[in-house]
């Protein structure tokens, strides 16, 4: 789906889903967008099929769930291999996300959680075994997100 095919109604639906996908019904979103519930359901299905909506997930508070350590690992991998390494990195116990970076020397950002620093060390060792260098480790105090504002309805 080309970006120009995502219109204001689609953006309002995306904003609503980012805000609270679990509790907002199609009817609730329809009220916000001035459309019908069936229109919202059809639009959501079209956005899912086009890969604009990639999935739905819970926002987990790792600290409250017993994993108080959240570490960002800034890594360097071979430019030609970094994309292919992402599934293997995500498979490591404790890794919750990987971002492929385009600028700078570090080109992978790995987020890992654990109960203590000693949970992160095996992850760093596994990355090294994969040929990925950990250039820097940053301990995260808090992580807060918000829906992308440009999706918000006018």
């Amino acid at each position: 789906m080309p970006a120009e095919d995502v219109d204001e109604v689609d953006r309002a639906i995306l904003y609503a889903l980012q805000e609270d996908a679990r509790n907002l019904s199609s009817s609730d979103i329809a009220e916000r967008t001035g459309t019908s519930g069936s229109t919202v359901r059809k639009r959501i299905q079209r956005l899912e099929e086009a890969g604009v909506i990639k999935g739905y997930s819970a926002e987990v508070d790792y600290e409250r769930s017993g994993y108080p350590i959240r570490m960002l690992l800034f890594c360097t991998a071979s430019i030609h291999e970094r994309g292919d390494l992402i599934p293997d990195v995500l498979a490591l116990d404790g890794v919750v996300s990987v971002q492929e970076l385009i600028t700078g020397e570090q080109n992978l950002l790995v987020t890992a959680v654990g109960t203590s620093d000693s949970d992160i060390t095996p992850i760093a060792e596994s990355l090294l075994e994969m040929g990925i260098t950990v250039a820097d480790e940053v301990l995260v105090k808090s992580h807060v997100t918000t829906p992308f504002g440009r999706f918000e309805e006018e």
Side-chain angles (χ1 to χ4, degrees), residues 79-151:
I79 292 172
H80 303 294
E81 295 176 356
R82 68 181 174 202
D84 295 334
L85 291 168
I86 291 174
D88 294 332
V89 175
L90 283 170
L92 296 175
D93 188 37
V95 172
V96 295
S97 75
V98 179
Q99 297 175 57
E100 188 174 1
L101 310 176
I102 296 174
T103 60
E105 185 177 329
Q106 287 77 47
N107 53 23
L108 290 176
L109 175 57
V110 177
T111 304
V113 297
T115 57
S116 68
D117 288 342
S118 62
D119 289 340
I120 307 301
T121 301
I123 295 170
E125 290 169 349
S126 294
L127 292 171
L128 190 58
E129 289 171 8
M130 291 180 196
I132 300 171
T133 303
V134 177
D136 197 9
E137 298 178 0
V138 178
L139 186 60
V140 177
K141 179 177 174 153
S142 66
H143 176 82
V144 181
T145 63
T146 188
F148 180 55
R150 292 189 189 165
F151 288 149

Side-chain angles (χ1 to χ4, degrees), residues 64-85:
R64 288 186 179 181
S65 64
Y67 299 93
I69 301 295
R70 180 188 294 246
M71 188 78 72
L72 301 179
L73 305 167
F74 290 88
C75 303
T76 304
S78 162
I79 292 172
H80 303 294
E81 295 176 356
R82 68 181 174 202
D84 295 334
L85 291 168

Side-chain angles (χ1 to χ4, degrees), residues 1-11 43 46-47 52:
M1 166 184 281
E4 59 269 8
D5 289 349
V6 177
D7 64 14
E8 288 183 35
V9 173
D10 292 331
R11 286 190 286 276
R43 296 254 187 154
R46 181 175 55 86
L47 292 165
V52 174

